Amino acid sequence: MDEDVSGKCSLRRERSWERKKRFLEHLSVSGNISEAGRVAEVRRSTLYLWKDTDKEFSARWEEALEEAVDALEAEARRRAVEGYDEPITYAGRVVCDPDTGNPIVRKRYSDGLMAFLLRAHRPSRFRAGMESEGRSGTISISISSDDNAL
């Protein structure tokens, strides 16, 4: 009887580890805990219990989230620097090259992502405001109809 119980425990641990592994693999790609839990068929509450009680799992969880964020950062950098192709549309339809039938595209870049990346990696040079230097960055202009007031 003891062998039967220990065998069930061993099987349960093995299944748990397989689900943990599946969760971590998907988390490293998606960065979404709920989605990764659904893929691994594990309830969110169970995931957090494992995270609280299993130091190795907790460390791998954090590592998986870092990998997901690294992938996001790489994609943001690619869109900001290399750009991306956007199909040209007219009247709600994609315009195609009459000779090839392929969509005509234009290269787009994301200035917003570029600014975000610069602020993230060089906050001392690319911060949003200049409050730390005692300047607010605002300009005050007074407009008067009286030329002598100027």
Side-chain angles (χ1 to χ4, degrees), residues 4-105:
D4 190 36
V5 171
S6 66
K8 284 182 183 179
C9 289
S10 175
L11 184 60
R12 176 179 268 162
R13 272 192 301 273
E14 190 175 313
R15 273 195 232 145
S16 291
W17 180 243
E18 285 301 316
R19 287 184 173 174
K20 286 177 182 180
K21 194 169 134 187
R22 200 170 344 146
F23 167 79
L24 293 168
E25 286 171 356
H26 195 75
L27 184 62
S28 71
V29 174
S30 72
N32 186 305
I33 294 163
S34 295
E35 182 181 319
R38 282 191 295 276
V39 167
E41 299 176 346
V42 179
R43 283 188 275 168
R44 194 175 167 90
S45 59
T46 301
L47 293 169
Y48 280 99
L49 175 67
W50 287 346
K51 187 174 191 280
D52 291 341
T53 58
D54 183 340
K55 287 182 182 181
E56 181 185 355
F57 178 71
S58 180
R60 288 185 180 195
W61 176 315
E62 296 305 322
E63 191 176 306
L65 285 176
E66 285 297 315
E67 286 179 28
V69 172
D70 286 347
L72 283 176
E73 185 177 355
E75 178 60 15
R77 182 177 305 279
R78 186 193 67 75
R79 289 183 187 199
V81 176
E82 297 172 23
Y84 56 95
D85 292 335
E86 178 181 78
I88 296 174
T89 59
Y90 178 76
R93 293 189 168 174
V94 174
V95 178
C96 293
D97 183 318
D99 296 330
T100 65
N102 294 331
I104 299 173
V105 297

Side-chain angles (χ1 to χ4, degrees), residues 115-129:
F116 181 80
L117 290 168
L118 287 169
R119 282 192 307 270
H121 292 287
R122 294 266 164 49
S124 63
R125 290 186 63 193
F126 297 100
R127 63 187 166 271

